[in-house]
Amino acid sequence: MFKQFFTKTMSFKMALLMPSKSLVSVCFWLLKVVVLLCMVFVVIWLSLRPKIPVFKVTNAYAPALDGLNSTFYRSKVSKNNSISLQFEISNPNKRIGIYYGDIYITLYSGHSVISSKPLPGFYQGYKISTVASVFADADQKTWRGVKEKHINLTVRLQTAVQYKILRSKSKHHFMDLEAYIPIGPDGRILEEDDVKLHRKV
């Protein structure tokens, strides 16, 4: 009799310790739900993680260096001292808009500042490219110092952007970019491809 009682007691304890099949199924289902939610969260986070805008110089022209302007090569003086630059500003994001503050563009020849021009800020939707033109005024000293029939310019761009994610705006992100622009004897950019601006080092 004692043996039967001991056997029943042990069986009851083992039954309490061993989870039922239904409980295991529920736990397994909850685990799958948690894993699925984590995967969805990661996908949403990656899709809403903003990418920085892309700035490119697509065209540049300095009439003072134009080989057709024979007056410049005879007197080293040009009546047109301006430098025109054309930029392409692209938003690579899929679902994120970008608010640009005023964009400040500075041209350098070596360490000397040639000109500085601002572009007004604007809003840009996602997957959109915007073209902007800048006309910088250089003085005649810039061209008198050019001994060869070309010049290497440095373009520096500074602005602050905010990302529009759903209905909210991010904090301001400051951008300081630059690129080197070689201008040939015809007054035009020597690069065959667009020149992309990179973070200033």
Side-chain angles (χ1 to χ4, degrees):
M1 183 176 179
F2 176 76
K3 185 177 181 180
Q4 292 179 350
F5 175 77
F6 179 77
T7 302
K8 290 181 179 180
T9 303
M10 291 301 296
S11 299
F12 178 72
K13 289 183 177 180
M14 291 296 293
L16 291 177
L17 292 175
M18 294 179 61
S20 64
K21 291 184 178 180
S22 59
L23 182 60
V24 172
S25 299
V26 170
C27 292
F28 184 69
W29 180 81
L30 288 175
L31 179 62
K32 289 196 295 184
V33 170
V34 171
V35 172
L36 180 61
L37 290 176
C38 290
M39 293 176 63
V40 171
F41 175 78
V42 170
V43 171
I44 294 175
W45 180 78
L46 289 175
S47 63
L48 295 180
R49 186 181 182 185
K51 299 177 182 178
I52 64 173
V54 179
F55 296 86
K56 294 180 181 179
V57 177
T58 57
N59 194 16
Y61 180 54
L65 287 181
D66 196 332
L68 298 177
N69 188 351
S70 58
T71 303
F72 170 68
Y73 289 112
R74 288 198 303 266
S75 63
K76 296 297 181 183
V77 176
S78 173
K79 294 181 179 179
N80 190 347
N81 298 308
S82 65
I83 302 173
S84 63
L85 296 171
Q86 184 170 291
F87 291 87
E88 181 184 86
I89 305 171
S90 303
N91 178 2
N93 295 287
K94 292 183 178 180
R95 297 290 177 182
I96 300 174
I98 300 178
Y99 290 93
Y100 297 87
D102 289 344
I103 301 172
Y104 297 94
I105 297 171
T106 307
L107 282 179
Y108 295 86
S109 175
H111 297 288
S112 302
V113 176
I114 296 177
S115 182
S116 182
K117 289 285 183 177
L119 286 174
F122 62 96
Y123 171 76
Q124 187 180 50
Y126 51 85
K127 288 295 181 180
I128 291 179
S129 295
T130 303
V131 176
S133 297
V134 175
F135 296 91
D137 297 321
D139 55 25
Q140 292 184 357
K141 293 181 181 179
T142 301
W143 307 118
R144 287 196 182 101
V146 178
K147 297 180 181 180
E148 304 294 336
K149 296 180 181 180
H150 68 272
I151 186 173
N152 293 319
L153 300 177
T154 301
V155 179
R156 185 177 182 183
L157 184 150
Q158 294 173 300
T159 188
V161 300
Q162 286 180 287
Y163 299 102
K164 181 184 178 183
I165 303 175
L166 300 178
R167 295 182 178 272
S168 61
K169 289 183 183 180
S170 71
K171 65 179 182 180
H172 286 88
H173 297 268
F174 180 71
M175 302 187 69
D176 191 357
L177 311 174
E178 68 177 3
Y180 297 97
I181 311 294
I183 305 295
D186 60 351
R188 302 186 183 278
I189 190 170
L190 289 175
E191 298 287 343
E192 295 182 0
D193 300 324
D194 299 338
V195 180
K196 183 179 178 181
L197 279 75
H198 299 277
R199 290 187 181 276
K200 188 176 184 300
V201 293

